[in-house]
Amino acid sequence: MKLLTPALLGACLALAFAAPAGNVRWCLQSDQEMRKCGDLAAKAPVFSCVKRQSSLACIQAVKAGEADAITLDGGDIYTAGLNNYDLHPIIAEDYGRDTDTCYYAVAVAKKGTKFGIRALRGKKSCHTGLGKSAGWNIPIGTLVSLGEINWGGTEEGSVEPAVSNFFSASCVPGATNLPTKLCQLCKGDCSRSQKEPYYDYNGAFQCLADGAGDVAFVKHLTVPDNVKDDYELLCKDDSRAPIDSYKTCHWAKVPAHAVVSRKDPELAKLIYKSLTAVQGFDLFSSENYAPAKNLMFKDSTERLLELPPNTDSFLYLGAEYMSIISSLKKEQNADTESGTIRWCAVGHAETVKCDSWSTASLDEEHAQIECQNGATVEECVKKIMRNEADAIAIDGGQVYTAGKCGLVPVMVEQYVKELCNATGSRQQASSYYAVAVVKRASGVTWANLKGKRSCHTGIGRTAGWNIPMGHIHKINNNCDFSDFFPSGCAPGADPASSFCSQCAGSGKAVGDDAKCKASADEQYYGYAGAFRCLVEGAGDVAFIKHTIVQENSDGKGPAWAQGVNSMDYGLICPGKGVVSISEYASCNLAKVPAHAVVTRPERRNAVIRTLLQQQVRFGSSVTDSSFMMFKSLNGNKNLLFKDSTECLLELKAGMTYESFLGPDYMTAMASLRQCSATTPDLEKSCTFHSCQQKN
């Protein structure tokens, strides 16, 4: 008998697990949901119904190809996105104008009971379910972060015993194998299913209404209109507020429930098309199946919205929510466990430098720097969001995208040595000028720029793309920039676009897959790369930083820059002819913030502490070290940090990406973002709904 090869076996398994053509198998968790699904299938035969005992069992069924879709809460979306399942959210519930694809996690108590959030110890609590967003992750994560619940992290064991010690009794559906007090108030079997009357939002509220509990952790739309006057919200500032004041009195804004499936674009399209084509059946009502509620979808859903392509669970949930979950599941004391931070390097050349840094950072116990890598900055931002890496130093335009994804700037590169030790009013963040450089003899000016070939540092970069293209968009109000520049090199662009036509790649004769990649493997990437593009005749104008010509001419710079004379180049800007490269202060496109180190909010202190230690050992003032943080070797430039960096300065706590970039930059980005084609896919996924942003 002939044995199947691994590849052929995999293909056979994929076919076996695929949904029948034109059929969507929905996974349900209760008899009531099966009834509703059966009624849906009668109206829309494209659907069929698969029953499992829990959301985890449904996640496993979708992964195994035994079902195709299920609607999940944020906590379960997190679980579904873990590597062993790798399911992706494809469709979000939309709850209407006030909340869109988000909802508010709130704490509800009976009016007149007086206590606030700081007096919950010893009270009886009602939860929607173990691991669910509004009912568990948000309230328990908040109480831990406030120091109300004493829990030292996973070294002490799971958080559940600490919760059991905090409340006098609880109903936490799903906590059946945990301390008995967590199921003490439950009315049924304490399962995360409709078999437990106090399960889910309405069940947790009923637990409160029945007098079993003193506080219920639910979503903002849970309390029925006819009894709102009998209840109040507990606010994070220890006050109380009316039920309808959820916008100013909530514990977190949480991503909506979403439909998840396997990563299969065609299946995702089929599911969305099938749901939106349903007629004669109300997907968002459980009225015919009372007393059960929220069957298949939340009853408060008004419509379904298709998510941007490549949205995974981590992008959908957002960095802030991911921090809450990871604090409960993994790293409660991440900031104090060790001084090690995981730096993300982009491309091969940066990875080589990072590996050298890691080796140099070894002390008696461990390396202070560990290296992760990604093909692009976007991949590194994703790794930081997923807690697979901790930090990266990036350009302002990339800070903008990372900020939209919930990361925060914590340190900034300083290019003026005298300012590295400045204090008080003299301390200031570095900035630089975005300029347009041409060959003096070319006759190119700002006035005749249209139709010329352009050299850019990279798509989404500050000096190389955001600032110049923002100017050009204001002039012609045309989002098709190829109409203005018919060819050029903008690393990170679509390989088939005209903005990749002039790129050089890595210089390999054959098998070069680096062409137009947004990494140092592309010779025309970054500031020096864009200038090289101009020098070597691949473009007529280079959009770069004001110091780059001097750094790569008159005998300075790598091999390709030898023989370059700075006097042969000039600056162009609106309303002027060609001027000397030294006149950047009066002929520039914008003054913009320096590159910054970004990380997740909860890693801020660890990243700053370690980088301050590292620059003492390997910074610009050190001359006897085999490794230098702010120097690049082997003909490379600006690896990991700008080579012109003198030091890294700590940004004040609480600084947002908006305040770091400043109002002028934010205005320029708002103009440029009118062109959706210029918005990175990562940013689209991160900004799909408002609750991904920090409250």
Side-chain angles (χ1 to χ4, degrees):
M1 185 176 80
K2 224 174 183 179
L3 293 176
L4 292 174
T5 66
L8 188 55
L9 178 60
C12 291
L13 288 172
L15 286 172
F17 288 159
N23 182 250
V24 176
R25 298 164 295 176
W26 210 272
C27 195
L28 299 317
Q29 302 174 63
S30 68
D31 292 337
Q32 296 98 320
E33 279 201 323
M34 281 294 287
R35 278 179 56 209
K36 181 175 179 179
C37 182
D39 292 344
L40 168 64
K43 294 281 187 180
V46 66
F47 292 99
S48 59
C49 311
V50 176
K51 185 183 177 186
R52 293 293 186 270
Q53 294 303 310
S54 66
S55 57
L56 180 59
C58 275
I59 290 169
Q60 293 168 337
V62 176
K63 168 66 175 177
E66 300 162 0
D68 301 309
I70 181 177
T71 309
L72 295 175
D73 141 281
D76 289 327
I77 292 171
Y78 172 87
T79 300
L82 296 174
N83 288 336
N84 46 331
Y85 302 120
D86 196 28
L87 303 186
H88 291 240
I90 57 173
I91 302 164
E93 295 181 344
D94 187 327
Y95 306 123
R97 182 169 53 87
D98 284 348
T99 52
D100 59 69
T101 54
C102 314
Y103 62 89
Y104 295 96
V106 297
V108 178
K110 287 183 177 178
K111 189 176 287 187
T113 49
K114 303 298 184 185
F115 61 85
I117 185 175
R118 295 287 186 177
L120 286 176
R121 180 178 296 277
K123 298 295 187 291
K124 295 177 291 183
S125 60
C126 305
H127 306 257
T128 60
L130 185 68
K132 293 178 79 70
S133 296
W136 183 265
N137 293 337
I138 298 301
I140 303 308
T142 300
L143 291 170
V144 168
S145 67
L146 291 174
E148 292 294 307
I149 294 179
N150 297 318
W151 181 58
T154 51
E155 288 185 5
E156 293 185 4
S158 68
V159 73
E160 286 83 358
V163 177
S164 182
N165 291 332
F166 180 77
F167 294 113
S168 61
S170 304
C171 178
V172 186
T176 50
N177 296 321
L178 295 164
T180 54
K181 284 170 61 179
L182 295 181
C183 283
Q184 187 174 326
L185 302 181
C186 290
K187 203 172 184 179
D189 63 359
C190 194
S191 66
R192 257 184 48 154
S193 75
Q194 300 294 339
K195 294 178 182 177
E196 169 50 62
Y198 290 164
Y199 168 65
D200 210 1
Y201 301 115
N202 298 89
F205 175 70
Q206 196 61 49
C207 167
L208 173 65
D210 289 348
D214 302 310
V215 61
F217 300 106
V218 293
K219 67 181 286 189
H220 68 287
L221 297 173
T222 304
V223 181
D225 289 341
N226 62 334
V227 295
K228 281 182 179 178
D229 290 343
D230 300 329
Y231 296 88
E232 290 178 316
L233 300 177
L234 307 185
C235 310
K236 286 205 289 186
D237 65 0
D238 208 31
S239 66
R240 286 195 175 203
I243 292 297
D244 286 333
S245 298
Y246 52 81
K247 286 187 179 179
T248 54
C249 178
H250 57 266
W251 290 31
K253 202 173 181 184
V254 181
H257 292 212
V259 177
V260 302
S261 186
R262 296 179 296 283
K263 189 176 182 180
D264 180 339
E266 293 305 313
L267 179 57
K269 288 178 185 176
L270 172 64
I271 294 169
Y272 181 72
K273 180 180 177 181
S274 300
L275 287 170
T276 53
V278 171
Q279 295 183 348
F281 186 85
D282 190 347
L283 289 171
F284 314 130
S285 173
S286 304
E287 189 176 347
N288 294 335
Y289 315 96
K293 292 184 176 292
N294 304 316
L295 302 178
M296 296 186 68
F297 300 96
K298 292 290 153 244
D299 295 343
S300 54
T301 305
E302 294 193 3
R303 61 174 179 155
L304 299 174
L305 293 179
E306 193 172 18
L307 294 175
N310 302 317
T311 300
D312 61 22
S313 60
F314 302 92
L315 295 178
Y316 180 73
L317 295 172
E320 188 174 27
Y321 185 82
M322 291 298 296
S323 295
I324 291 171
I325 294 185
S326 63
S327 72
L328 292 177
K329 293 180 180 290
K330 297 179 182 177
E331 301 178 340
Q332 182 59 27
N333 288 327
D335 257 15
T336 58
E337 282 178 1
S338 77
T340 300
I341 61 171
R342 296 163 297 175
W343 198 265
C344 197
V346 179
H348 175 71
E350 284 205 344
T351 300
V352 171
K353 179 178 178 180
C354 188
D355 288 341
S356 297
W357 187 11
S358 180
T359 300
S361 75
L362 281 167
D363 60 20
E364 293 179 359
E365 296 181 2
H366 53 261
Q368 299 289 309
I369 302 296
E370 292 180 359
C371 300
Q372 296 290 320
N373 63 75
T376 64
V377 169
E378 280 198 12
E379 287 300 316
C380 277
V381 170
K382 288 181 184 178
K383 281 179 178 282
I384 296 170
M385 291 178 67
R386 293 172 181 163
N387 195 16
E388 296 169 3
D390 294 313
I392 184 174
I394 51 180
D395 152 275
Q398 295 158 337
V399 170
Y400 182 90
T401 294
K404 289 289 188 181
C405 291
L407 304 186
V408 293
V410 295
M411 300 193 82
V412 63
E413 294 179 347
Q414 175 57 261
Y415 310 125
V416 181
K417 190 170 187 176
E418 292 73 26
L419 294 177
C420 283
N421 297 316
T423 58
S425 60
R426 290 189 63 244
Q427 190 173 43
Q428 54 183 288
S430 263
S431 58
Y432 61 91
Y433 293 96
V435 297
V437 180
V438 298
K439 292 180 178 177
R440 279 183 170 273
S442 68
V444 176
T445 67
W446 190 266
N448 65 17
L449 197 56
K450 186 174 181 180
K452 303 300 188 291
R453 298 166 303 156
S454 55
C455 301
H456 306 263
T457 59
I459 291 287
R461 299 278 300 261
T462 298
W465 186 266
N466 294 342
I467 296 301
M469 302 320 246
H471 275 285
I472 289 167
H473 180 255
K474 287 178 184 176
I475 294 169
N476 59 15
N477 202 31
N478 183 357
C479 287
D480 185 358
F481 293 113
S482 63
D483 281 353
F484 197 91
F485 293 122
S487 68
C489 179
D494 183 333
S497 80
S498 60
F499 283 106
C500 284
S501 61
Q502 298 296 322
C503 291
S506 66
K508 292 180 183 176
V510 293
D512 187 2
D513 59 358
K515 184 172 181 177
C516 207
K517 291 290 178 63
S519 79
D521 299 337
E522 161 60 60
Q523 294 179 82
Y524 292 167
Y525 173 69
Y527 297 117
F531 181 49
R532 181 178 182 179
C533 167
L534 174 66
V535 168
E536 296 183 350
D540 303 306
V541 59
F543 298 108
I544 52 178
K545 174 184 172 183
H546 71 281
T547 62
I548 298 304
V549 176
Q550 294 96 322
E551 292 171 9
N552 294 276
S553 61
D554 304 331
K556 292 178 293 211
W560 65 264
Q562 300 308 304
V564 175
N565 187 338
S566 64
M567 296 296 291
D568 294 335
Y569 296 86
L571 305 179
I572 60 173
C573 55
K576 288 189 177 184
V578 182
V579 303
S580 166
I581 57 170
S582 63
E583 296 184 36
Y584 53 81
S586 60
C587 186
N588 61 75
L589 303 182
K591 189 177 182 180
V592 295
H595 291 205
V597 176
V598 298
T599 186
R600 297 183 307 284
E602 80 277 8
R603 288 295 278 164
R604 178 184 187 276
N605 293 339
V607 169
I608 291 173
R609 182 171 59 246
T610 299
L611 288 179
L612 288 175
Q613 293 168 351
Q614 289 297 294
Q615 72 177 2
V616 169
R617 296 176 64 185
F618 309 119
S620 60
S621 61
V622 179
T623 58
D624 58 351
S625 173
S626 60
F627 175 79
M628 303 290 286
M629 284 175 66
F630 309 132
K631 290 290 178 284
S632 304
L633 303 176
N634 303 319
N636 294 297
K637 299 284 284 185
N638 305 317
L639 300 180
L640 304 182
F641 303 96
K642 301 292 303 149
D643 291 345
S644 54
T645 302
E646 293 291 344
C647 65
L648 298 173
L649 292 178
E650 177 181 348
L651 295 172
K652 64 181 181 181
M655 177 167 281
T656 64
Y657 75 98
E658 295 104 327
S659 56
F660 172 75
L661 294 174
D664 292 341
Y665 197 107
M666 293 300 294
T667 299
M669 290 304 297
S671 175
L672 192 60
R673 285 301 183 258
Q674 294 176 34
C675 304
S676 62
T678 69
T679 306
D681 286 343
L682 173 62
E683 191 176 313
K684 289 177 182 177
S685 293
C686 286
T687 55
F688 177 76
H689 48 205
S690 59
C691 45
Q692 291 162 313
Q693 307 308 307
K694 190 171 178 63
N695 291 304

